[in-house]
Structures are given as structure tokens and as C-alpha cells.
Amino acid sequence: MAKEIAAVITLFGGSGDLAQRKLYPALFGLYQRGVLKDHFAVIGTARRPWTDEYYRDIVKTAVAGDSIESTAQASAFASHFYYQSHDVTDAAHYITLKELAAQLDEKYAAGGNRLFYMAMAPNFFATIASHLKSEALLTATGFNRLIIEKPFGHDYASAKALNDSITATFDEKQIYRIDHYLGKEMAQSLLALRFGNPLLRTVWNKDYIQNIQITLAEAVGVEERAGYYETSGALRDMVQNHVMQLLAYLTMDEPAALTADAVHTVKARAFDQLHRYTEAEVATNFVRGQYTTATIDGEAIRGYRDEDGVAQDSMTETFVAGKITTTAPNFAGVPIYVRTGKRLTRKSTQLTVTFKPQANSLFGVTAADTLTIYVEPSQGFSLQLNGQKLGQTNVLAPAELAFRHDPAAAKSAPEAYERLINDVLHGDQTNFNHWNELAQTWRFVDVILAAWAKDKTMPTYAAGTMGPQAAKDLLARDGAEWFWQPTRIQMAD
Ligand SMILES: NC(=O)c1ccc[n+]([C@@H]2O[C@H](COP(=O)([O-])OP(=O)(O)OC[C@H]3O[C@@H](n4cnc5c(N)ncnc54)[C@H](OP(=O)(O)O)[C@@H]3O)[C@@H](O)[C@H]2O)c1
């Protein structure tokens, strides 16, 4: 059984979508594993006037399983939840919260440990942090930790302002900036794959790698999130955070240890070494696009500009592809191609490392060996090698060594949010964003945003395709192509 951690957890945004879909199930998972047991309480806060009973029903519904046993467990779990109606802009409410936290600390013997989770719109983060300080909600005994959701800023300047405001209350060691991709099984296992295999460790450098590709493809459109998405776009929503974090895991140096400090050091260095484009270079190295209407499987799909809540002349990109290079000695000259978008052919996050084909006197120039890491929906990796064609001596044919986690086993492994909250409870910052990383990635992205702001053209792509033609041309110029080229009829990757 896991070691129990005691804490009073205050959740700002306790009635919200994230809390109900992700956070309550994640906390329940920790309860079922015994990390949260007898000595914890959760205070959910939001403006609506819920009672504790009503709130507990919401929590039970969010975590309910099918069996009688899990229903009983959900009730016992929900009994640790308390609701406090609270407007985060009202100083007096923090005094009430502080008193409730103190009472619950005593009731559950939580040892002064406090976890504050900001699961609200980001414009409130600074307000909450400053009130936690001015109304003295941090304790002198036990730990005080802050979990903060993305988006962390809108550009470098706003991210810095936000960081300044939260570091006025919390120090860096107390801040856990979430990027839920870092909680995903295969993102985390990149370290095991890269550094746990002498075979890969030896060839993971510019001498052997031809290019690296990162694809985060979504099949859905903007759905109900147009209000947010119109102010964000694919570059801010996916590239600055998730794509960049995966890129760092693929290109960073080997950390001196598997500790937060050591991993953050090599990641920050990897971001430092990225070639930061000038605005003039953006046009040749980054492509954006917007999806347009299409008929898929007989269903008419709306174009982005026709979606509810999207401006008819919107210049928000729903697709980004880019070529990134680094000055890191191990990877200098290796192109890293990234792409992400909505309404692409199929949902998949996958990373491909293509190794340099090497001419030899026996077989001439052979097909490139490739390693693909499947992050989602399937989880695993595959190595494509040259084998011999069956029955044909010395004739090469592609052969695949494929591994996938068993879907049922993968389903019962902890979800990203459960892993990440578990890390916070244990004080492990490894899988969270250090401020240095965010500062660097925003600086990288800001130049692209500035260049696009001056460009009045918006390439388009039909919904259901893998982006505008320019995304293909970007690689073709280098004599390369996207490794993953899905069609509608392929099985899930
Ligand atoms: N939903 C997701 O899947 C997801 C994924 C990744 C990141 N995030 C991030 O997580 C955060 C929360 O997202 P969400 O989707 O859960 O948002 P949401 O559903 O809109 O929830 C917002 C919460 O804030 C509360 N609230 C709003 N104004 C308030 C105020 N003045 N004082 C106190 N409470 C207030 C709301 O309750 P009342 O109206 O009752 O006050 C509600 O509980 C955002 O930063 C978002 O970017 C969400």
C-alpha cells in the first residue's frame, strides 16, 4: 500500500469542468491507492451557493463506478469534501477559508500541510495568490504547495507578470505548473526509452539521427471552446507547452540524476539552445492554417470561421507546423519538425525519430530505420528496420518491431492528473514546468506570434486532412516528408 499523505486541499474552481472531469477522479484514484486516506480534506470553492451535501453528491457522481463496492468507497471519499462559497476577489472570503482549513486540519490531523489548486480562468491566478499571502493562508508548519493550471500567460510579458505575482507568495520549490502531457505514460517513459537502452543511447545524436517529428493531431474541431480558442490558437494552446515539452524530452542531454533539479537543468538548457527565429525567418520555417468545411463520412463539417463564437474574419490558427533547430552539440543540424491542429485526419500524438540511412557495400543505400513513440490514443513504440524479404535471399524489406501497452492494463494505470497530483503530494517537481522553461518557450513563440500578426494571409485546409499544403512543402524542401500520413481507413495509431 502507498504511503499516506496528510493535507488540506483547497480547490479554486471546485464546481468547474476540470474539477469534475479530471480532478475528482484523480483524487479518488489516489484514495483508492491509499495515498489519500484518513488524514485529508478537500475544500471546494466557487461562487455558487452549494451546500456540503450537494457538493458531495457532485463529487460522488464524478467518481462513481458501477460496483456497489466502489459506490460505498465513493461515499466514504466524498465525506472528506467541504464546500465554501467564495468569490476569489473578496478578501473577507479568504478569512472564512482560512478558518475552515484550520478546523479541518485539526479534525483530520493534516499536520499543517496545505495544497492550493487553481482550477479557474487564468485571469484569477494572480488575485488568488496575492490574497493567500495578504490573508495569511499559508501555514508555518507542514508544506504549502500551489498547483497552477495552464495557460500560464498569453505571451512572455504576461507569463512573467503572472510568475512575479505568484512568486510574491510562493517560492519556486512550492509551485507546480501543470502541463498534463508530462503526466502521460509515454511522455514520462521517453526517459526510460532514451536513457535505459544502450542501443538507443548510442545513436541518439546528430551523427545518426536524420530528423525528429512531433505530431499532436486532434480530429475534433473547436467544440464549445471557441471563446477561449479565439484568444489562443494552436501555437499558444499546444506548441508553447505540450509540443515544447516533448521536444525537450527528445533532445535534452542526459540528466545527472532522475531528480527534479537535474531534469529541469537539462530541459532549460535544451530550450536555451533552440535557434530562436527572427521575424523574417518565421515565414520560411513556420506554417499556420485554418480548417474549412468538408464532408466526412457523409457528415457536413463546418469550417472554423463558421463555428459558433468564431469571428467571420478570424485570424486564429487551428493548425501549426514548424521546423525547429537547435545549437545543442548533440543535435546541431538535425531538423525537428512539429505539427499540431484541430480537425485533422485522426487523433494521435506520436513522435518519430528517423535515423540516417547509411550506404554500405552489401546493400547500397538502405531505407531509413525509424523509431515511433505512440503517446495516445495507443501507448507504445515501434522500431522499423530492414529485414529480409521472406524467401528472397538478400532482398531487403521493411520489418517492424512493435510494442503496445495492453489497452486494459493502460486503462487501469493512473491517469495523467492522478500521477501529477500524486507527485505534488510527495513534493516531486520533476514533471512540472520550471519558470525558466516557460520563459524560454514563450520567448520562442512570441517571435512567431509577432511575425504572424503582420501577415494578413491565412492558409486553409479541408477538415479531415493533415493541414495545408505548405506543411508538406516545409519538409519537401529538405527532401523529407511527414512519417505519419494517416488516411480515414487506417486503424487507430
Ligand atoms: N476543462 C479542461 O479540460 C481543462 C484542461 C486543461 C486546462 N484547463 C484549465 O483549467 C482551468 C479551469 O478550467 P475549467 O474548464 O474547469 O473552467 P470552468 O468550467 O469555467 O470553471 C471555472 C470555475 O471557476 C469558478 N469561478 C468563476 N469565477 C469565479 C470567481 N470570481 N470566484 C470564485 N470562483 C469563480 C466557477 O464557478 P462559479 O461560476 O460558481 O463561481 C467554476 O467553478 C482553466 O485555467 C483552464 O484553462 C481546463
Side-chain angles (χ1 to χ4, degrees):
M1 204 55 169
K3 177 174 168 250
E4 183 188 0
I5 305 288
V8 174
I9 301 168
T10 304
L11 183 56
F12 296 97
S15 60
D17 175 69
L18 182 73
Q20 296 187 50
R21 280 194 314 109
K22 297 287 182 190
L23 306 185
Y24 300 143
L27 290 169
F28 188 50
L30 292 171
Y31 183 73
Q32 289 177 307
R33 287 173 217 276
V35 177
L36 296 175
K37 201 172 166 208
D38 301 321
H39 301 287
F40 84 100
V42 177
I43 305 174
T45 78
R47 289 166 305 178
R48 64 200 73 183
W50 285 353
T51 60
D52 286 347
E53 286 65 37
Y54 188 82
Y55 181 46
R56 286 172 191 164
D57 281 344
I58 294 278
V59 172
K60 273 188 265 184
T61 307
V63 306
D66 298 332
S67 68
I68 293 173
E69 191 200 0
S70 82
T71 308
Q73 214 176 13
S75 291
F77 169 70
S79 73
H80 289 255
F81 282 66
Y82 298 80
Y83 185 79
Q84 182 62 53
S85 179
H86 168 94
D87 188 323
V88 295
T89 58
D90 186 334
H93 286 178
Y94 290 87
I95 307 290
T96 319
L97 265 187
K98 181 179 167 177
E99 286 165 1
L100 178 58
Q103 282 167 26
L104 295 176
D105 193 308
E106 200 174 319
K107 177 169 178 179
Y108 291 99
N113 291 340
R114 296 286 184 277
L115 187 68
F116 302 97
Y117 199 129
M118 294 191 192
M120 291 187 56
N123 54 313
F124 291 119
F125 295 164
T127 309
I128 301 170
S130 79
H131 279 298
L132 293 179
K133 183 173 186 167
S134 57
E135 270 61 63
L137 270 79
L138 274 57
T139 55
T141 56
F143 63 66
N144 290 281
R145 293 176 189 153
L146 172 73
I147 306 184
I148 185 161
E149 269 296 335
K150 79 158 208 183
F152 197 93
H154 192 68
D155 53 17
Y156 172 73
S158 58
K160 169 131 186 11
L162 172 57
N163 198 56
D164 289 347
S165 65
I166 61 171
T167 52
T169 304
F170 294 91
D171 65 41
E172 182 66 36
K173 291 275 179 217
Q174 297 174 315
I175 302 170
Y176 294 75
R177 301 178 192 81
I178 289 245
D179 182 325
H180 71 276
Y181 265 69
L182 295 183
K184 290 185 187 286
E185 178 74 36
M186 292 312 296
Q188 294 190 354
S189 67
L190 279 173
L191 300 188
L193 202 58
R194 274 194 63 189
F195 303 119
N197 293 294
L199 190 70
L200 293 179
R201 220 160 149 245
T202 316
V203 296
W204 208 270
N205 57 56
K206 65 178 188 314
D207 296 335
Y208 293 95
I209 293 179
Q210 187 179 62
N211 72 60
I212 294 176
Q213 300 186 13
I214 300 176
T215 298
L216 274 71
E218 294 181 276
V220 293
V222 70
E223 299 180 294
E224 285 85 38
R225 294 175 68 225
Y228 158 72
Y229 202 76
E230 274 284 88
T231 64
S232 167
L235 189 68
R236 288 189 176 97
D237 191 41
M238 302 292 271
V239 177
Q240 180 271 330
N241 36 56
H242 313 319
V243 169
M244 284 292 179
Q245 291 296 322
L246 293 170
L247 184 153
Y249 270 10
L250 287 166
T251 60
M252 69 191 191
D253 293 331
E254 185 164 324
L258 290 172
T259 61
D261 284 348
V263 171
H264 286 153
T265 299
V266 290
K267 269 169 84 183
R269 192 188 306 147
F271 289 131
D272 242 353
Q273 290 167 327
L274 289 185
H275 171 73
R276 219 178 291 155
Y277 290 121
T278 60
E279 283 187 36
E281 288 172 320
V282 169
T284 42
N285 291 290
F286 265 81
V287 170
R288 61 179 166 168
Q290 230 177 35
Y291 61 85
T292 53
T293 182
T295 302
I296 299 175
D297 296 337
E299 189 194 343
I301 305 292
R302 278 193 283 185
Y304 180 67
R305 290 185 181 183
D306 297 325
E307 299 272 22
D308 295 337
V310 173
Q312 279 293 309
D313 57 354
S314 170
M315 288 298 283
T316 302
E317 78 286 354
T318 60
F319 176 91
V320 180
K323 173 183 174 179
I324 299 175
T325 55
T326 166
T327 57
N330 275 341
F331 286 95
V334 177
I336 304 154
Y337 302 112
V338 305
R339 65 179 166 170
T340 182
K342 291 195 179 291
R343 283 278 182 228
L344 300 186
T345 313
R346 277 214 320 280
K347 176 184 169 67
S348 177
T349 295
Q350 51 178 273
L351 323 168
T352 297
V353 177
T354 300
F355 295 93
K356 289 180 178 170
Q358 298 194 341
N360 71 57
S361 57
L362 302 181
F363 292 104
V365 181
T366 56
D369 298 340
T370 59
L371 171 70
T372 297
I373 296 127
Y374 298 95
V375 178
E376 65 181 359
S378 73
Q379 301 175 14
F381 42 85
S382 81
L383 188 60
Q384 194 161 309
L385 302 172
N386 292 301
Q388 177 174 287
K389 203 165 188 176
L390 192 63
Q392 299 191 29
T393 308
N394 296 338
V395 177
L396 299 189
E400 190 188 10
L401 306 179
F403 163 78
R404 294 288 197 286
H405 281 296
D406 168 37
K411 215 166 172 223
S412 66
E415 273 243 24
Y417 272 100
E418 184 180 330
R419 283 168 188 261
L420 294 173
I421 298 173
N422 183 52
D423 287 349
V424 180
L425 288 167
H426 287 87
D428 182 352
Q429 291 183 304
T430 310
N431 295 312
F432 295 83
N433 289 166
H434 191 283
W435 164 242
N436 293 341
E437 299 167 25
L438 293 177
Q440 297 288 35
T441 50
W442 273 124
R443 286 195 186 109
F444 182 88
V445 157
D446 273 359
V447 181
I448 303 167
L449 290 169
W452 284 353
K454 292 174 190 149
D455 179 0
K456 298 294 167 230
T457 56
M458 175 57 77
T460 57
Y461 59 100
T465 66
M466 288 303 284
Q469 178 61 33
K472 295 187 184 124
D473 299 344
L474 182 73
L475 276 68
R477 264 197 338 247
D478 295 344
E481 59 179 15
W482 292 104
F483 180 79
W484 187 51
Q485 302 193 20
T487 61
R488 301 290 306 168
I489 48 165
Q490 272 178 288
M491 299 296 288
D493 293 82

